[in-house]
Amino acid sequence: MRSSFVVVFAAAVLLSGCQAPGPQVDPQLSVNTLHEEPLGFLESRVNSAEYPIPPYAKFLAGVRICLDPGHGGDAHKRGYKRGPTGVREAEVNLRVARYLRAFLTTAGAEVLLTREADVDLPLKDRAETANNWDADIFISLHHNAIDNKPHVNYTTVWYHADVDFRPSNLDLSRHLCQGLYDALALPQITDVPLKSDQLMYESGFGVLRHAQVTAALTETSFFTNPDEEQRLRDPEYNLLEAYGLFLGLARYAAGGLPRAHLLGISEGNVLAFELDDGLRSRKAWGHERQMILSDSIAVRIDGIDAPYIFENEGYLLSVPLPIGLEPGEHPVEVQFQNMYKHSVLNPHFAIEITQ
Ligand SMILES: [Zn+2]
């Protein structure tokens, strides 16, 4: 009697082991915490009636965008970057990056991801990926967390250092933030959502500090908010977020991505730049007119404002070198804004003075 009871009990355990989801995996150590995406998910949605590629997204063609899905390879750290029921930020970040890539490449942008798998990368390497690829834009994609305030859920977008460091970082941040606002329509906002990374660390975020291109870090929403955590499991919601980021980038590109090109140093020690407002080359009606705000032009050599001459016709900027410049390398910064108030993507140059 006794022995048959033991047998029945063992069979019952075996049976339940087959049916129930395993011998209780600790959700704070689990992997694959997101709902699986249906077959053909992206193909059926990107450029559908629900997620159209707007005509102005054509200006993304050829723009090089490096996407950095934050974190990865951290599932073994119990509770690390996870929501209350175990959703892992690293997985959400990677999925949103993949979905965003699908929209961007459909519009003709070139896209590189810093990671494609659940692996960790040093922060510096993530930025170097963008730098070495000569990216125009670098975005580190994240979701936020806060201790003991589960009700909190809003969007922030982070730029490096202070507002003058690389003003194009603010253009990018602003457009990404607006895109997320429009797509997700989170009821909460923080009154000034663009934040300096120096609010968190004196030297800023490593991933932004090492970026030598226009860069921002998005904290789209809080996975510590129980409702938001459940939404973040859902591929449809991840796609909506990616679409918001995509529209932000499309609007940014549509307003022109200004650049400065160093032509060289002419006889008489005049530094020459060609300015590109990101608009004139479209040859639209009125393209000969100046689309750079004159008062926005600034040149700094060794951090000191330098006089310059700007000619609208050829968009040439001539900068006489200061007398007595020591031999060696000197940093030169060229700033300007186009008529959309977009600042030059990469304002930092270096010149070598030889004796
Ligand atoms: Zn993060």
Side-chain angles (χ1 to χ4, degrees), residues 7 22 40 112 114 135 142 186 254 266 287 299:
V7 168
L112 182 66
T114 56
H142 289 254
L186 293 179
S266 68
H287 72 271
V299 182

Side-chain angles (χ1 to χ4, degrees), residues 8 85 89 117 146 206 264 270 275:
V8 169
T85 66
E89 186 200 339
I146 188 164
V270 176
L275 305 188

Side-chain angles (χ1 to χ4, degrees), residues 70-71 81 89 93 141-144 217 219 223:
H71 316 292
K81 305 277 180 195
E89 186 200 339
N93 297 340
L141 299 162
H142 289 254
H143 295 77
N144 218 336
L217 183 148
E219 296 278 8
F223 57 81

Side-chain angles (χ1 to χ4, degrees), residues 157-178:
V157 183
W158 299 72
Y159 60 89
H160 181 55
D162 53 54
V163 290
D164 293 320
F165 170 71
R166 190 187 294 114
S168 59
N169 291 347
L170 303 173
D171 301 331
L172 173 63
S173 301
R174 192 172 70 240
H175 284 290
L176 292 175
C177 189
Q178 195 61 52

Side-chain angles (χ1 to χ4, degrees), residues 167-315:
S168 59
N169 291 347
L170 303 173
D171 301 331
L172 173 63
S173 301
R174 192 172 70 240
H175 284 290
L176 292 175
C177 189
Q178 195 61 52
L180 290 171
Y181 275 6
D182 292 350
L184 299 183
L186 293 179
Q188 290 175 42
I189 59 158
T190 183
D191 288 352
V192 181
L194 305 196
K195 303 285 185 198
S196 165
D197 60 359
Q198 289 181 332
L199 293 171
M200 298 297 284
Y201 306 102
E202 206 179 327
S203 59
F205 295 149
V207 74
L208 294 182
R209 184 172 64 249
H210 291 109
Q212 288 158 12
V213 305
T214 298
L217 183 148
T218 53
E219 296 278 8
T220 295
S221 62
F222 282 73
F223 57 81
T224 43
N225 175 284
D227 294 335
E228 183 68 12
E229 185 201 20
Q230 296 317 312
R231 286 192 287 271
L232 289 170
R233 284 188 198 274
D234 178 4
E236 295 286 358
Y237 191 72
N238 303 141
L239 192 71
L240 197 58
E241 175 181 343
Y243 189 61
L245 294 166
F246 164 69
L247 289 185
L249 287 165
R251 291 169 193 157
Y252 183 22
L257 302 175
R259 295 159 210 266
H261 303 288
L262 178 57
L263 299 177
I265 304 175
S266 68
E267 306 167 32
N269 279 346
V270 176
L271 204 53
F273 291 92
E274 188 181 4
L275 305 188
D276 171 7
D277 58 20
L279 298 168
R280 185 178 262 193
S281 59
R282 295 176 192 172
K283 305 272 187 223
W285 184 35
H287 72 271
E288 318 78 358
R289 297 181 67 83
Q290 184 173 318
M291 293 187 273
I292 288 174
L293 299 178
S294 300
D295 284 348
S296 71
I297 301 171
V299 182
R300 290 178 201 99
I301 300 173
D302 294 331
I304 298 164
D305 281 315
Y308 60 83
I309 299 157
F310 173 64
E311 303 160 43
N312 171 49
E313 200 168 331
Y315 265 20

Side-chain angles (χ1 to χ4, degrees), residues 90-133:
E91 294 177 20
V92 179
N93 297 340
L94 179 56
R95 185 184 266 180
V96 171
R98 286 178 39 241
Y99 291 178
L100 177 53
R101 172 172 60 189
F103 284 115
L104 289 169
T105 53
T106 303
E110 294 177 44
V111 179
L112 182 66
L113 264 57
T114 56
R115 67 176 178 96
E116 297 272 356
D118 189 11
V119 291
D120 193 17
L121 301 169
L123 297 176
K124 191 177 178 189
D125 291 7
R126 296 171 187 257
E128 290 293 347
T129 300
N131 298 340
N132 295 336
W133 187 53

